């Protein structure tokens, strides 16, 4: 597998980019990853990079986008922050990735049993983590069930995972609201902005 070139990147549509990620995850789950010479790809990309996707995911050590989508060096931009939410810096990075570097899709990738989401559900407080989990709390409030407060915490994994899904949905809405650049690109069908969830038990990514 060679790294992408300007020509191969240009030939990829947003639908193709999503399918390439789906195919890569299927290979990962089936233990049929492509044979890559990563050092060869280092050489290929030494004078430029032409990735096809931008993926916003959690810092969770089990959720490496390059691995779970079976991608190599130069294939994707990987943005990682606990709780996979956006702020000004992340939006700027995404605008660079799409508008200037040519990626065709933004994937907001949540995952099951997310520690940051659990922290938001439990109203965790610890140094700078307090401010971080506050960014996820709107998703906690937006999940209406269960109404029993004793079940709206990290001990209820179904609730945690529902909040993780809602957080992905709200993050996508925030990208469109807070970045006119990316919203315009999506409106003109230059990119797609989609959500997905990674199952830490199976390795499977489900697109939303």
């Amino acid at each position: 597998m060679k790294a992408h070139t300007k020509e191969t990147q240009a030939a990829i549509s947003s639908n193709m980019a999503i399918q390439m990620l789906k195919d890569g995850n299927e290979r990962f789950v089936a233990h049929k990853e492509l044979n890559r010479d990563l050092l060869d790809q280092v050489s290929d990309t030494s004078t430029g990079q032409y990735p096809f996707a931008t993926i916003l995911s959690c810092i969770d050590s089990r959720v490496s986008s390059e691995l779970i989508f079976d991608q190599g060096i130069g294939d994707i931009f990987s943005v990682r922050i606990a709780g996979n939410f956006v702020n000004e810096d992340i939006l700027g990075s995404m605008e660079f990735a799409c508008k200037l570097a040519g990626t065709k899709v933004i994937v907001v990738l949540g995952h099951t049993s997310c520690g940051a989401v659990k922290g938001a559900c439990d109203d965790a407080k610890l140094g700078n983590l307090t401010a971080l989990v506050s960014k996820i709390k709107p998703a906690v409030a937006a999940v209406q069930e269960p109404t029993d407060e004793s079940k709206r915490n990290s001990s209820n994994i179904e609730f945690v995972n529902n909040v993780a899904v809602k957080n992905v949905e709200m993050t996508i809405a925030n990208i469109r609201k807070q970045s006119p650049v990316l919203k315009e690109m999506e409106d003109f069908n230059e990119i797609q902005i989609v959500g997905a969830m990674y199952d830490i038990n199976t390795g499977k990514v489900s697109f939303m």
Side-chain angles (χ1 to χ4, degrees), residues 111-133:
H111 67 95
T112 59
S113 299
C114 179
V117 171
K118 289 179 179 179
C121 292
D122 291 343
D123 193 24
K125 290 180 171 58
L126 175 66
N128 291 300
L129 183 63
T130 306
L132 185 147
V133 298

Side-chain angles (χ1 to χ4, degrees), residues 98-118:
C98 295
K99 191 70 174 180
L100 300 182
T103 62
K104 307 303 178 68
V105 62
I106 292 174
V107 179
V108 179
L109 181 66
H111 67 95
T112 59
S113 299
C114 179
V117 171
K118 289 179 179 179

Side-chain angles (χ1 to χ4, degrees), residues 48-140:
Q49 59 172 334
Y50 303 97
F52 69 90
T54 300
I55 301 174
L56 169 63
S57 63
C58 186
I59 65 166
D60 194 291
S61 63
R62 299 163 292 184
V63 192
S64 168
S65 295
E66 288 84 355
L67 295 178
I68 66 176
F69 288 111
D70 187 29
Q71 300 301 318
I73 290 173
D75 289 339
I76 63 173
F77 282 117
S78 183
V79 187
R80 302 187 69 173
I81 187 169
N84 45 266
F85 59 85
V86 289
N87 59 22
E88 184 179 40
D89 301 316
I90 292 171
L91 288 170
S93 298
M94 289 178 165
E95 290 170 357
F96 164 77
C98 295
K99 191 70 174 180
L100 300 182
T103 62
K104 307 303 178 68
V105 62
I106 292 174
V107 179
V108 179
L109 181 66
H111 67 95
T112 59
S113 299
C114 179
V117 171
K118 289 179 179 179
C121 292
D122 291 343
D123 193 24
K125 290 180 171 58
L126 175 66
N128 291 300
L129 183 63
T130 306
L132 185 147
V133 298
S134 71
K135 311 293 196 307
I136 308 170
K137 285 183 181 179
V140 178

